[in-house]
């Protein structure tokens, strides 16, 4: 314990501002209690939205439709490129049309249970309740969801659930939703309600009078650092999985916006909850620039297996049925290949590390479609997964119709993120979050197809209610002038960081720091964690961070497009967030969802929660720079209560 | 890296769509004009070729056909009035087709920017439309002067207004003229095939079956027109027609 | 594998561009074009030179951020694949590879291999949208869409907005992009309600910034999303329809 106390200070309980009634009624009641803004007054409020993924584009478009003045920032050239575009499998919605006994309550149960009781129950209810009209809306604005021959929406099932509630457009659901959302945003841009600022990267948050009042951005083309002020700021900047260097995330996805907001006072919830996706393509060479996701929906029709004998290097077709180990079906007969992601990843990694891996680098297991092809025929499988099969064949040179796919776990999604209350507002008043950069719904593990849903629900159907309620009392408050010391200080801080990196005069490019950090985290803080490893990781990250500020080499200058400088800034923030991630993992002395501590596990390696101590969300406040507890982040906590879904140990067996 | 204020140096905003209409006449309308006039020419060519084949029935039949053309729709429309309506329509189509083509060619050149695309895999006929078109245009002028107006030196020395058969045989007896005619027909094959295939896209036919049927008909029509026409100078040169 | 790279370097939109020549001695067959550029940039940074600026993001063929011209062909030698899926195995050992930005008047160079493709977005802004506000849509199950229409809409909606079609076109035309959007939205229930005004607005904006289509069909080969040629017919179909049917739908 002393050891932990040298790393962090324990703060106080914080309030998630969830209405007191049954969680199923919380959102309805809250909506009724929200203040409203008269349509004629809406234009007088300026709202900054950072990020144009499903949550960002949704929030910006919806607030623009309502008549607010919305300033939208994106580091891409156009809104459609945000990483929501890459989600493949589908979007959950408990519309419960079929007779497979689905319902909002069951959705909440699956989400809470899937998240291992570390998410907020009322949030999960909102997700389910608003999720119903998400499908209606996204369909209306252009997403061509798959249809049955009768003309109704088609659904499929996804990992971690036993009903079929996932709506999809082939293997490119994220793309279709993202394009629809980006187009809705474009409509508001054309109408003049939203002003789009592309190729602008947010590098700091402006907090004045205790309220978030603006952002500092760097123009990625001209290098100019400028500020913009507003009445409220919404961050929808996605997850921080790229901290692991090679993940399934897009190359530009990063943690800078949320980390800078954290440094300005926003609490960071559960940074150690990072999901490792079970079905990514294994690394095939050192120059492979990232890991590529193969949608989880493949597990509907594919069976995962490894050879029964370690080191078996026969071709898959030569391994007879009796010598194959369908280990997920063997260990979890009820859910089989559809166990939640954390369970699947852990088991696959266990097989690989135990020497049962396949492929040239022995770093994968098989995902086999032979049975489904025999049962359903090639045409059906092709229609369901054509683009995934094509992508696999393209990357591996093998045809999944003939040879089983090789898959391996990869970092994919961060359940942790900026802490927010039930209104999606962070601990900094006026700073809201939407989508993956927040926390809340997914607890310690996210169910497949719930992330597209959370992005849509936050953007389209939560923030447009909660942000106006925050704004209403501010009517008549002028925008913070750009001459305000809070603005000039923030701009100055950004400029000094940039010039510190440009003039560090070292020899190592930023990418090599990112790679080394990724290696540390992958070794000590991925699918399994232990205290010794985490302590070692913290020490190594600190040393690496120290080296960074003197040893980094950023070629080029700051006054124009400079991708090395962009990367250096992101890596600098990873080096801080990485340490917090490890401290949180060390601090949370239990196993929950994606966070598996080997010193808190059953004898057969299953996660063991400590509900007594840890039925709560950790919400980290940035370390004070001086005084008592200097240099130690403060861990506040939000106690979680479960009413509709009583606490129980997960069991997928 | 200087920090400036929102007023003097605002954060750039994404440009919005243009408020004014695009250059007139609109490109889509020019394409439709090309397609419609092009189809009119193709139809004319098909009938023209069918008529030309009468040359194989002998001078009397051919001259009779030529005379029929001049007095088409008599007595409903007197004299050569219909012929002139026909000529004016074809002439205007010609002007519209060439004019639209020229504007589109200019717009295309402009839009591709300073770095012309060099490596192209398909559609030699598409990229040579402007050149085959120009040659065809000059051929048509020559052809009219040669066999309709009878202006020398385009027309043969033996040209007599009204003796269509004799004029044709005399004209094609000149090897250079027969060769030029044959070459033009080959270019016509390119121009016509691309043109007829493009028509489905220019006029917005998206149905799979319609497109397949159209492609088949377009191909057959183009081949028949070219082969039918091509046979005549060959027949004259080889002495089958005298 | 050893490869000689000729890469377009251009400081700024107004600066003169030029090719610089680099040698990569340890290229590997499974590398993508983008990974080859990563490799080159590592080499340049190690030598203290500025890396080649190029764009990429998801590297899974779906975001459309990447796009370079490889040996005169957008994205690379293989048909219908984005740069992140173009592998070096298609090249000979010792070959010279010329990498330049996507070329078109509508795509001005920002720096090195990065071009400004927002012109395509302005076509979308002009009318590639559906006028339904959040929360107002009716039950999606109550609006029947045939299986075939949904699949067909998705064939067109698959466009990743990379701009390869424009760059592949000797005319710098954006017909394939615009047509894909028009065809997609004309097939979905709410999109149908503004077919006419959408066609007029999108085609007008397209004609502002991009060239005419001569049906050379290079775009269809370059398109990573395999958008069919009927997208081009769809541009004219929707626009002609709007010319005769002068209402909004």
């Amino acid at each position: 314990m002393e050891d932990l106390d040298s790393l962090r200070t324990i703060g106080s309980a914080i309030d998630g501002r969830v209405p007191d009634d049954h969680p199923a009624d919380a959102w309805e009641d809250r909506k009724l209690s929200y203040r409203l803004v008269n349509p004629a007054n809406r234009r007088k409020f300026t709202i900054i939205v950072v990020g144009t993924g499903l949550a960002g584009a949704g929030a910006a478009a919806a607030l623009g439709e309502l008549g607010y003045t919305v300033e939208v920032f994106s580091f891409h050239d156009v809104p459609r490129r945000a990483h929501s575009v890459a989600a493949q499998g589908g979007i959950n919605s408990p519309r419960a049309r079929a007779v497979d006994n689905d319902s909002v309550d069951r959705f909440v149960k699956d989400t809470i249970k899937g998240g291992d009781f570390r998410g907020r129950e009322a949030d999960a209810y909102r997700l389910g309740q608003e999720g119903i009209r998400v499908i209606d809306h996204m369909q209306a604005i252009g997403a061509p969801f798959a249809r049955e021959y009768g003309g109704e929406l088609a659904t499929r099932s996804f990992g971690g659930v036993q009903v079929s509630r996932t709506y999809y457009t082939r293997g490119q659901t994220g793309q279709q939703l993202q394009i629809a959302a980006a187009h809705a945003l474009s409509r508001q841009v054309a109408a003049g309600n939203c002003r789009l600022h592309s190729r602008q990267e947010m590098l700091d948050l402006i907090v004045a009078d205790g309220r978030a009042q603006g952002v500092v951005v760097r123009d990625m083309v001209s290098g100019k650092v400028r500020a913009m002020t507003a009445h409220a700021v919404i961050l929808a900047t996605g997850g921080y999985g790229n901290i692991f260097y090679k993940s399934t995330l897009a190359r530009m996805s990063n943690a800078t916006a949320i980390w800078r907001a954290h440094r300005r006072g926003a609490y960071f919830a559960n940074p150690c909850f990072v999901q490792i996706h079970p079905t990514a393509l294994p690394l095939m060479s050192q120059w492979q620039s990232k890991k590529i996701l193969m949608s989880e929906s493949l597990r509907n029709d594919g069976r995962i297996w490894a050879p029964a004998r370690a080191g078996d290097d026969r071709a898959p077709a030569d391994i007879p049925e009796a010598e194959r180990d369908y280990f997920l079906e063997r260990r979890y007969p009820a859910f089989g290949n559809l166990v939640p992601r954390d369970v699947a990843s852990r088991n696959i990694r266990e097989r690989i590390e135990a020497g049962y891996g396949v492929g040239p680098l022995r770093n994968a297991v098989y995902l086999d479609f032979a049975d489904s092809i025999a049962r359903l025929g090639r045409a059906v499988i092709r229609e369901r997964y054509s683009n995934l099969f094509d992508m696999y064949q393209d990357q591996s040179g093998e045809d999944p119709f003939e040879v089983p796919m090789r898959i391996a776990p990869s970092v994919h999604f961060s359940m942790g993120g900026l802490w927010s209350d039930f209104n999606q507002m962070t601990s900094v008043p006026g700073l809201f979050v939407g989508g993956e950069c927040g926390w809340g719904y997914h607890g310690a593990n996210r169910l497949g197809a719930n992330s597209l849903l959370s992005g849509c629900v936050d953007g389209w159907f939560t923030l447009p209610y909660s942000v106006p309620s925050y704004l209403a009392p501010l009517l008549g408050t002028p925008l913070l002038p750009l001459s305000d010391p809070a603005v000039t200080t923030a701009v100055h801080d950004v400029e000094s960081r940039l010039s510190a990196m440009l003039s560090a005069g070292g020899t190592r490019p930023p990418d090599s720091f990112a790679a080394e950090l990724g290696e540390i985290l992958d070794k000590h803080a991925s699918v399994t964690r232990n205290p010794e490893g985490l302590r070692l990781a913290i020490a190594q990250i600190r040393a690496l961070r120290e080296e960074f500020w003197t040893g980094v080499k950023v070629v080029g200058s700051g006054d124009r497009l400079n991708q090395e400088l962009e990367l250096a800034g992101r890596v600098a923030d990873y080096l801080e967030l990485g340490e917090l991630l490890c401290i949180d993992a060390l601090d949370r002395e239990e196993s929950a969802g994606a966070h598996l501590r080997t010193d808190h596990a059953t004898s057969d390696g299953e996660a063991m929660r400590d509900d007594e101590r840890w039925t709560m969300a950790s919400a980290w406040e940035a370390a004070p720079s001086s005084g008592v507890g200097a240099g130690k982040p403060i861990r506040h906590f939000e106690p979680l209560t479960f009413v509709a879904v009583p606490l129980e140990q997960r069991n997928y067996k | 890296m200087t920090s400036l204020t929102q007023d003097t140096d605002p954060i750039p905003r994404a440009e919005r769509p243009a408020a004014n209409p695009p250059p007139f006449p609109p490109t889509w309308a020019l394409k439709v004009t090309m397609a419609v006039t092009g189809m009119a020419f193709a139809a004319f060519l098909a009938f023209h070729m069918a008529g030309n084949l009468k040359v194989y029935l002998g001078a009397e039949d051919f001259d009779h056909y030529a005379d029929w053309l001049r007095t088409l729709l008599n007595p409903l429309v007197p004299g050569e009035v219909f012929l002139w309506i026909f000529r004016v329509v074809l002439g205007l189509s010609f002007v519209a087709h060439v004019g639209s083509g020229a504007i589109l060619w200019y717009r295309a050149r402009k839009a591709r920017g300073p770095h012309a695309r060099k490596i192209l895999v398909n559609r030699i006929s598409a990229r040579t439309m402007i050149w085959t078109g120009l040659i065809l245009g000059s051929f048509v002028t020559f052809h009219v002067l040669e066999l309709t107006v009878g202006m020398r030196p385009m027309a043969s020395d033996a040209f007599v207004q009204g003796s269509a058969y004799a004029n044709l045989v005399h004209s094609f007896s000149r090897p250079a003229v027969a060769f030029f005619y044959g070459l033009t027909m080959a270019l016509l094959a390119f121009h016509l095939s691309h043109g007829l295939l493009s028509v489905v896209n220019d006029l917005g036919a998206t149905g799979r079956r319609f497109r397949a049927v159209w492609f088949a008909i377009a191909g057959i029509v183009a081949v028949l027109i070219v082969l039918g026409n091509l046979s005549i100078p060959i027949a004259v040169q080889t002495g089958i027609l005298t | 594998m050893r490869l000689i790279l000729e890469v377009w370097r251009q400081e700024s939109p107004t600066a003169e561009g030029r090719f610089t020549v680099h040698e990569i001695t340890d290229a590997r067959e499974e590398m993508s074009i983008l990974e080859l550029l990563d490799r080159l940039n590592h080499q340049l940074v190690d030598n203290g030179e500025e890396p080649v600026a190029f764009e990429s993001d998801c590297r899974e063929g779906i975001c459309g951020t990447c796009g370079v011209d490889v040996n005169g062909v957008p994205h690379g030698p293989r048909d219908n694949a984005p740069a992140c899926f173009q592998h070096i195995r298609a090249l000979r050992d010792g070959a010279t590879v010329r990498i330049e930005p996507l070329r078109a008047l509508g795509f001005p160079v920002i720096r090195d291999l990065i071009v400004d493709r927002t012109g395509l977005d302005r076509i979308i802004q002009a009318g590639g949208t559906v006028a339904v506000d959040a929360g107002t849509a009716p039950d999606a199950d109550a609006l029947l869409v045939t299986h075939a229409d949904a699949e067909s809409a998705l064939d067109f909606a698959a466009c990743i907005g990379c701009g390869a079609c424009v760059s592949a076109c000797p005319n710098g035309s954006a017909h394939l992009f615009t047509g894909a959007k028009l065809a997609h939205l004309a097939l979905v229930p709410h999109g149908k309600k503004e077919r006419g005004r959408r066609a007029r607005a999108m085609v007008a904006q397209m004609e502002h910034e991009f060239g005419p289509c001569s049906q050379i069909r290079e775009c269809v080969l370059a398109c990573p999303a395999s958008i069919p040629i009927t997208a081009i017919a769809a541009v004219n179909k929707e626009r002609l329809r709007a010319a005769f049917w002068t209402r909004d739908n």
Side-chain angles (χ1 to χ4, degrees):
Chain A
M1 269 320 264
E2 294 104 286
D3 189 43
L4 260 173
D5 283 336
S6 68
L7 291 170
R8 57 106 176 87
T9 314
I10 292 184
S12 48
I14 51 173
D15 181 7
R17 299 188 194 97
V18 182
D20 275 336
D21 33 35
H22 188 275
D25 305 324
W27 180 233
E28 272 312 306
D29 288 359
R30 177 54 52 88
K31 279 197 280 188
L32 201 59
S33 71
Y34 277 146
R35 283 166 295 230
L36 302 175
V37 176
N38 177 328
N41 285 333
R42 291 179 189 160
R43 197 154 305 286
K44 298 173 191 162
F45 289 109
T46 302
I47 303 161
I48 285 174
V49 177
V50 186
T52 60
L54 277 181
L63 289 164
E65 287 160 8
L66 290 172
Y68 296 92
T69 303
V70 187
E71 304 277 358
V72 189
F73 291 87
S74 165
F75 59 38
H76 284 109
D77 55 342
V78 291
R80 62 184 294 148
R81 310 222 193 274
H83 193 50
S84 303
V85 83
Q88 298 167 350
I91 175 168
N92 284 338
S93 178
R95 294 162 69 84
R97 299 294 163 120
V99 290
D100 58 357
N101 204 359
D102 194 11
S103 64
V104 170
D105 292 288
R106 190 173 298 281
F107 168 85
V108 170
K109 191 173 163 192
D110 289 335
T111 302
I112 292 295
K113 242 184 95 179
D116 223 357
F117 297 92
R118 294 296 174 260
R120 213 190 266 136
E121 207 177 25
D123 286 37
Y125 263 104
R126 184 179 64 215
L127 193 62
Q129 289 158 348
E130 293 292 3
I132 292 169
R133 54 178 177 159
V134 161
I135 303 297
D136 298 333
H137 181 56
M138 299 315 285
Q139 138 82 34
I141 59 173
F145 285 109
R147 296 278 178 164
E148 300 292 357
Y149 284 97
E152 310 288 349
L153 293 166
T155 55
R156 57 186 172 204
S157 61
F158 239 59
V161 302
Q162 290 167 311
V163 294
S164 190
R165 68 163 76 100
T166 306
Y167 293 79
Y168 65 97
T169 55
R170 287 187 204 142
Q172 54 212 64
T173 316
Q175 183 205 19
Q176 293 310 312
L177 297 181
Q178 171 61 24
I179 289 175
H183 288 182
L185 170 59
S186 295
R187 178 171 152 248
Q188 294 307 309
V189 172
N193 296 330
C194 293
R195 298 177 191 146
L196 178 64
H197 309 280
S198 51
R199 295 191 191 274
Q200 305 285 332
E201 182 165 28
M202 172 183 160
L203 295 183
D204 213 342
L205 179 75
I206 296 165
V207 180
D209 308 327
R211 290 191 287 122
Q213 298 208 51
V215 293
V216 179
V217 295
R218 177 173 180 272
D219 185 319
M220 294 159 85
V221 177
S222 69
K224 284 182 180 164
V225 175
R226 303 182 180 96
M228 179 170 280
T229 56
H231 293 100
V233 177
I234 297 172
L235 297 187
T237 56
Y240 51 86
N242 265 346
I243 194 170
F244 285 80
Y245 190 51
K246 281 177 186 172
S247 74
T248 64
L249 271 71
R251 300 268 290 180
M252 286 163 79
S253 298
N254 68 77
T256 290
I258 53 172
W259 189 253
R260 291 291 119 202
H262 171 64
R263 295 295 301 262
R264 292 280 175 199
Y267 296 170
F268 205 116
N270 305 329
C272 80
F273 289 162
V274 176
Q275 181 169 77
I276 319 278
H277 195 287
T279 56
L281 288 181
L283 273 192
M284 296 180 189
S285 80
Q286 65 146 334
W287 286 110
Q288 190 171 320
S289 52
K290 71 179 288 267
K291 296 188 181 166
I292 291 183
L293 184 75
M294 287 281 113
S295 167
E296 177 169 52
S297 61
L298 292 168
R299 286 201 275 146
N300 269 316
D301 290 308
R303 297 178 71 196
I304 291 175
W305 63 276
R309 176 166 59 80
D312 190 339
D313 54 6
R314 286 176 290 176
D318 297 338
I319 303 180
E321 199 63 27
E323 293 172 42
R324 297 177 178 191
D325 177 15
Y326 296 89
F327 53 93
L328 289 178
E329 296 172 23
R330 171 168 59 82
R331 293 175 182 170
Y332 307 95
F335 279 70
N337 293 299
L338 293 177
V339 289
R341 291 176 174 178
D342 56 332
V343 179
S345 292
R346 209 143 52 224
N347 279 280
I348 295 170
R349 182 117 166 193
E350 180 274 324
R351 282 290 88 184
I352 293 169
E353 284 178 354
Y356 295 86
V358 298
L361 301 175
R362 305 215 155 280
N363 60 353
V365 295
Y366 290 122
L367 178 61
D368 198 335
F369 291 88
D371 285 357
S372 298
I373 293 168
R375 190 176 72 249
L376 303 165
R378 274 168 171 260
V380 173
I381 297 295
R382 185 177 299 284
E383 184 173 315
R384 284 187 192 164
Y385 309 112
S386 59
N387 62 331
L388 298 170
F389 276 35
D390 290 348
M391 192 151 82
Y392 180 83
Q393 183 161 15
D394 184 89
Q395 292 297 311
S396 68
E398 290 173 358
D399 178 4
F401 278 109
E402 307 298 335
V403 188
M405 281 187 182
R406 281 176 285 130
I407 49 129
S410 166
V411 168
H412 176 58
F413 187 88
S414 37
M415 284 73 69
L418 289 186
W419 179 87
S420 62
D421 63 14
F422 186 58
N423 311 309
Q424 291 297 116
M425 190 165 83
T426 66
S427 54
V428 179
L431 178 68
F432 293 80
V433 287
E436 191 181 346
C437 75
W439 81 293
Y441 303 114
H442 312 301
N445 175 51
R446 175 175 67 77
L447 286 187
N450 260 3
S451 63
L452 289 180
L453 179 63
S454 56
C456 290
V457 166
D458 284 352
W460 292 103
F461 297 113
T462 302
L463 293 166
Y465 292 97
S466 64
V467 174
S469 179
Y470 165 81
L471 293 174
L474 295 175
L475 186 64
T477 311
L479 284 179
L480 188 70
L482 290 178
S483 55
D484 190 277
V487 180
T488 50
T489 314
V491 170
H492 179 255
D493 287 354
V494 167
E495 286 177 340
S496 0
R497 275 169 65 81
L498 291 171
S499 44
M501 286 184 283
L502 282 164
S503 60
T507 52
R508 281 181 73 179
D511 186 66
S512 91
F513 286 94
E516 192 178 334
L517 174 67
E519 225 167 274
I520 297 170
L521 290 172
D522 186 57
K523 194 158 176 204
H524 301 296
S526 66
V527 288
T528 57
R529 293 143 179 197
N530 64 66
E532 296 70 41
L534 289 167
R535 283 198 195 93
L536 184 63
I538 292 168
Q540 287 174 339
I541 293 170
R542 286 182 174 174
L544 190 63
R545 188 167 66 226
E546 203 146 308
E547 188 194 335
F548 178 85
W549 288 101
T550 52
V552 72
K553 173 174 77 170
V554 181
V555 294
S557 63
D559 59 358
R560 56 186 165 162
L561 196 147
N562 184 339
Q563 293 174 322
E564 287 289 287
L565 182 61
E566 292 163 17
L567 179 63
R570 294 165 193 170
V571 174
D573 291 331
Y574 287 154
L575 287 166
E576 297 180 15
L577 171 57
E579 182 186 335
L580 186 68
L581 190 156
C582 292
I583 292 177
D584 185 45
L586 191 60
D587 178 57
R588 185 169 278 273
E589 292 174 322
E590 66 156 354
S591 293
H595 171 61
L596 188 118
R597 284 267 297 256
T598 51
D599 54 333
H600 294 275
T602 61
S603 52
D604 56 352
E606 296 297 323
M608 246 170 45
R609 290 201 321 260
D610 181 351
D611 290 339
E612 205 56 38
R613 278 184 66 202
W614 290 102
T615 308
M616 62 182 210
S618 303
W620 295 88
E621 182 182 344
S625 53
S626 60
V628 187
K632 292 194 289 184
I634 305 164
R635 197 251 293 144
H636 302 288
F637 53 96
E638 181 193 338
L640 300 170
T641 49
F642 294 94
V643 178
V645 191
L647 279 165
E648 57 166 305
Q649 204 70 33
R650 287 197 305 175
N651 181 9
Y652 291 97
K653 294 209 180 224
Chain B
M1 277 188 295
T2 44
S3 43
L4 292 152
T5 65
Q6 229 152 278
D7 308 325
T8 56
D9 184 24
I11 299 172
R13 260 171 81 169
E15 260 178 71
R16 291 197 274 163
N20 54 327
F24 188 84
T27 293
W28 68 269
L30 294 174
K31 291 299 287 190
V32 170
T33 308
M34 297 287 285
V36 171
T37 53
M39 277 206 301
F41 290 137
F44 168 74
L45 280 175
F47 285 105
H48 187 36
M49 186 274 296
N52 286 351
L53 291 183
K54 298 228 176 314
V55 79
Y56 291 110
L57 298 177
E60 200 176 319
D61 271 345
F62 190 71
D63 286 347
H64 176 69
Y65 159 68
D67 194 53
W68 174 81
L69 273 182
R70 275 189 288 273
T71 56
L72 200 64
L73 289 191
N74 279 3
L76 179 65
V77 184
E80 294 190 351
V81 170
F82 181 80
L83 180 72
W84 277 103
I85 292 173
F86 197 74
R87 281 173 174 167
V88 168
V89 169
L90 273 184
L92 287 177
S93 295
F94 186 79
V95 171
H97 197 81
V98 173
S100 302
I103 299 174
L104 287 168
W105 178 79
Y106 169 74
R107 286 183 185 170
R109 291 243 359 170
K110 212 171 77 174
R112 81 183 177 199
H115 299 272
R117 182 149 291 286
K118 292 183 206 81
I119 303 196
L120 292 158
V121 217
N122 51 9
R123 297 278 152 174
I124 180 91
S125 53
R127 286 177 291 124
T128 49
M129 281 306 261
I130 183 82
W131 307 114
T132 50
L134 283 173
I135 295 171
L136 285 174
S138 43
F139 167 76
V140 168
T141 318
F142 172 85
H143 195 60
V144 168
L145 294 177
E146 171 203 11
L147 290 174
T148 311
V149 181
M151 183 196 283
R152 292 185 178 83
M154 276 66 81
S156 68
D157 295 335
F159 182 87
V160 179
Q161 193 75 43
S163 314
Y165 183 89
N167 290 341
L168 183 139
V169 173
H170 282 133
S171 199
F172 282 152
S173 306
R174 299 172 298 175
V177 172
F179 177 76
F180 180 46
Y181 185 89
L183 180 78
T184 320
M185 284 306 120
L187 295 180
L188 178 66
F190 276 96
H191 198 88
L192 199 57
S193 66
H194 179 72
L196 284 178
L197 295 186
S198 299
V199 160
V200 285
N201 287 332
D202 288 338
L203 295 183
T206 52
R208 190 149 30 108
R209 208 169 340 144
F210 180 88
R211 289 170 69 94
V213 170
W214 178 267
F215 288 157
I217 294 176
I220 293 166
V221 168
V223 167
L224 286 182
I225 289 175
V226 170
L227 287 185
N229 282 340
L230 208 50
S231 72
I232 299 170
I234 293 173
V236 172
Q237 283 290 315
T238 52
I240 297 170
L241 290 176
T242 48
Chain C
M1 271 175 88
R2 187 179 144 273
L3 291 171
I4 309 292
L5 299 188
E6 293 177 3
V7 183
W8 183 264
R9 304 302 300 262
Q10 184 173 340
E11 288 277 305
S12 69
T14 47
E16 269 305 279
R18 68 194 191 288
F19 284 100
T20 57
V21 183
H22 312 269
E23 186 182 11
I24 301 283
T25 51
D26 57 353
R28 294 172 56 103
E29 289 204 330
E30 64 269 22
M31 274 183 175
S32 70
I33 290 292
L34 302 180
E35 286 159 358
L36 184 68
L37 285 169
D38 286 341
R39 177 72 198 91
L40 170 65
N41 281 347
H42 268 265
Q43 202 167 295
L44 290 172
V45 169
D46 283 345
N47 297 333
E49 294 170 58
E50 281 195 63
V52 178
F54 72 98
E55 281 188 293
S56 77
D57 201 24
C58 78
R59 299 211 178 184
E60 293 181 6
I62 198 81
C63 72
T65 311
C66 67
V68 289
D69 195 301
V70 182
N71 288 337
V73 183
H75 288 310
R78 198 155 68 88
D79 289 347
N80 302 118
C84 49
F85 287 173
Q86 296 276 354
H87 296 282
I88 304 300
R89 59 175 89 102
L91 302 168
R92 273 182 305 104
D93 187 26
T96 299
V97 191
R98 175 172 273 222
I99 301 181
E100 51 188 315
L102 292 178
R103 300 290 194 193
L105 189 73
F107 290 169
V109 172
I110 292 175
R111 179 157 197 203
D112 294 347
L113 304 175
I114 302 181
V115 296
D116 179 1
R117 287 169 287 182
T118 53
L120 296 179
D121 216 44
R122 285 187 284 279
I123 299 178
I124 298 294
Q125 278 184 34
T129 59
V130 181
V132 176
D133 284 355
T136 61
D139 184 349
D141 273 301
L143 301 164
L144 300 186
V145 179
T146 63
H147 179 82
D149 275 357
E151 293 297 312
S152 176
L154 189 50
D155 286 341
F156 291 110
C159 167
I160 63 172
C162 65
C165 49
V166 177
S167 173
C169 178
N171 296 359
S173 158
H175 271 65
L176 198 71
F177 174 86
T178 312
K181 192 52 60 189
L182 286 169
H184 155 211
L185 290 176
L187 281 163
V188 295
H190 287 88
K192 280 180 188 161
K193 303 294 176 205
E194 38 187 333
R195 264 176 89 175
R197 64 191 287 255
R198 172 182 307 118
R200 284 186 284 272
M202 286 181 79
V203 171
Q205 180 58 29
M206 175 185 84
E207 292 187 1
H208 263 292
E209 299 193 43
F210 299 97
C213 169
S214 298
Q215 305 191 27
I216 299 162
R217 305 191 184 200
E218 290 293 316
C219 54
V220 184
L221 296 180
C223 177
S226 302
I227 300 294
I229 187 73
T230 39
I232 284 174
V235 173
N236 298 310
K237 174 184 182 173
E238 295 297 312
R239 188 59 190 83
L240 260 176
R241 181 184 172 279
F244 291 105
W245 180 264
T246 53
R247 293 173 221 172
D248 286 342
N249 67 346

